Amino acid sequence: MTQRLPPSLTPLDTALAALLRGVDPVAPVEVPLAEAIGCIATGDQLLAAHPSRDIAAVDGWALSANDLVGASAYSPVPLTTAPAWVEAGDAMPAGCDCVLDADAVEMSGPLAQVLAEGTPGQGVRRAGSDIAAGGAVGDAGHPIGAADLLLARVAGVEKLAVRRPRLRIVNVPSGTVTAQMIAGIAHTAGLDVETRQARARDEASIADALDASSCDALLTIGGSGVGRQDAAIAALARRGEVMAHGLALQPGRTAAVGRLGQVPVIALPGSPDHALAAWLALVLPLVERLSARRPRRKASLPLARKIASSVGLTEIALLAEEHRAWMPLAVGEWPLQAIARADAWLLISASDEGFAAGTPIDADLMPA
């Protein structure tokens, strides 16, 4: 039997509320540093101070600044013992608080004299100056970035506690390009991604691939429309629950939300533009709930020209930054070139008719 859309489309807010109902953040897991980038920090992992003691920041002579008051080439200060030579990264000898350049000390056999003054901390990296004791790796609720990994590696941390939801993607044959795009975006977002392939496009084959064990969310790619070979929604109804199919969302009208047991399911269209729109409007909020992520970063700029939108339909506009303004690239229908050029996106409420040129717009930045 051919899939059908309902007589009326479900508002995006209604579908999203149903999808998120009862969804809680996943428990933190420990992952190796190489797998942590993009995952959401818990803020619970505290670091020891680094360096753990004062170290030399440069190569030179380790001395005490108090012993060098008044030293100059015209009035050298003799030393009773030869100073210690340190390389950058060496621990500072006891009683020393500065490092002078090689030519600041004149050696004549066992005798040494200093030709320049020093100040406390000169040429020295103080204990805890790079990493203060008790600092966390990443801010809770924010993605782990390259700088966070740098701190962890310097501090000798091998694993990080993060929230990394497990996402299973079921690809319906003919949606491979779209599935690869979504999987790549999901990896960048810090998800633990597993991709499976349905044997064929028929209902039974897709239903057999809908396994929600060992995952926190499940996506299907393709087969969500009303074509003769589309059966993803029928398969979901066979294995679980379809809460909404046919959304008042453009692009993304044939997307659906449902459940397999307690696991939320989103059926994405096979077309790359419609799948990406459904990812932004539905999957991102779900991922943020599962990972306890704080609100996404937005950028505010005025519109370079007006945006017109249809009342009663939530539309997504693609924007590019041009001359410190948002230039609309596409609204509702997205050419692939517009996706490639887009810097940000804007969800236009079903109650809005659009925005006039010059209107300040808080837009979400596109996934990396």
Side-chain angles (χ1 to χ4, degrees):
M1 181 181 294
T2 302
Q3 289 178 167
R4 301 296 182 195
L5 291 177
S8 61
L9 300 176
T10 302
L12 175 64
D13 290 347
T14 301
L16 187 57
L19 178 69
L20 298 181
R21 190 174 298 121
V23 175
D24 296 315
V26 300
V29 294
E30 284 196 339
V31 299
L33 296 189
E35 300 177 17
I37 195 160
C39 298
I40 303 303
T42 64
D44 297 329
Q45 194 149 358
L46 304 182
L47 299 174
H50 182 84
S52 57
R53 57 178 297 180
D54 291 355
I55 62 173
V58 295
D59 303 339
W61 302 104
L63 296 156
S64 170
N66 283 340
D67 297 337
L68 311 179
V69 176
S72 70
Y74 300 103
S75 181
V77 171
L79 301 176
T80 56
T81 58
W85 177 265
V86 292
E87 305 282 345
D90 289 346
M92 290 294 291
C96 297
D97 61 3
C98 66
V99 178
L100 299 189
D101 294 339
D103 57 5
V105 175
E106 187 177 81
M107 301 290 297
S108 180
L111 302 178
Q113 55 182 5
V114 183
L115 309 179
E117 290 185 310
T119 56
Q122 178 181 336
V124 176
R125 192 172 293 245
R126 296 294 194 184
S129 60
D130 279 335
I131 303 174
V137 182
D139 294 330
H142 290 283
I144 296 290
D148 299 314
L149 296 185
L150 171 64
L151 293 182
R153 291 188 175 103
V154 167
V157 173
E158 295 182 353
K159 291 186 176 182
L160 290 180
V162 298
R163 296 189 196 274
R164 185 171 68 162
R166 300 164 301 172
L167 177 67
R168 180 165 295 151
I169 297 175
V170 175
N171 179 39
V172 175
S174 81
T176 301
V177 170
T178 300
Q180 290 172 341
M181 175 191 71
I182 294 297
I185 294 172
H187 277 294
T188 303
L191 301 180
D192 183 2
V193 182
E194 177 195 2
T195 301
R196 294 186 176 183
Q197 179 83 14
R199 295 190 311 273
R201 293 181 61 87
D202 62 89
E203 179 183 329
S205 297
I206 299 171
D208 287 344
L210 296 182
D211 177 8
S213 62
S214 304
C215 71
D216 302 301
L218 188 145
L219 303 183
T220 63
I221 309 291
S224 68
V226 294
R228 293 181 178 178
Q229 292 186 315
D230 288 335
I233 311 306
L236 176 56
R238 179 173 176 172
R239 290 293 305 274
E241 175 189 5
V242 178
M243 298 184 294
H245 176 218
L247 308 184
L249 173 68
Q250 189 63 20
R253 184 171 65 100
T254 64
V257 298
R259 284 274 198 282
L260 283 177
Q262 297 302 311
V263 176
V265 179
I266 304 175
L268 301 185
S271 174
D273 54 335
H274 287 254
L276 179 57
W279 171 277
L280 298 175
L282 292 167
V283 185
L284 270 187
L286 174 61
V287 169
E288 289 169 355
R289 176 71 63 85
L290 288 169
S291 59
R293 177 171 179 162
R294 291 184 181 176
R296 296 185 296 272
R297 187 163 60 95
K298 293 177 179 283
S300 183
L301 292 172
L303 274 179
R305 57 179 174 82
K306 73 174 184 179
I307 291 178
S309 180
S310 303
V311 174
L313 193 66
T314 298
E315 294 188 289
I316 305 180
L318 296 180
L319 309 171
E321 182 181 349
E322 294 184 8
H323 310 296
R324 299 300 301 159
W326 289 130
M327 175 61 70
L329 299 176
V331 181
E333 295 294 339
W334 296 355
L336 295 186
Q337 287 184 333
I339 295 175
R341 287 185 55 201
D343 298 311
W345 58 281
L346 174 66
L347 195 70
I348 305 172
S349 170
S351 61
D352 286 330
E353 296 181 357
F355 303 94
T359 303
I361 295 295
D362 291 331
D364 291 275
L365 301 183
M366 290 292 285

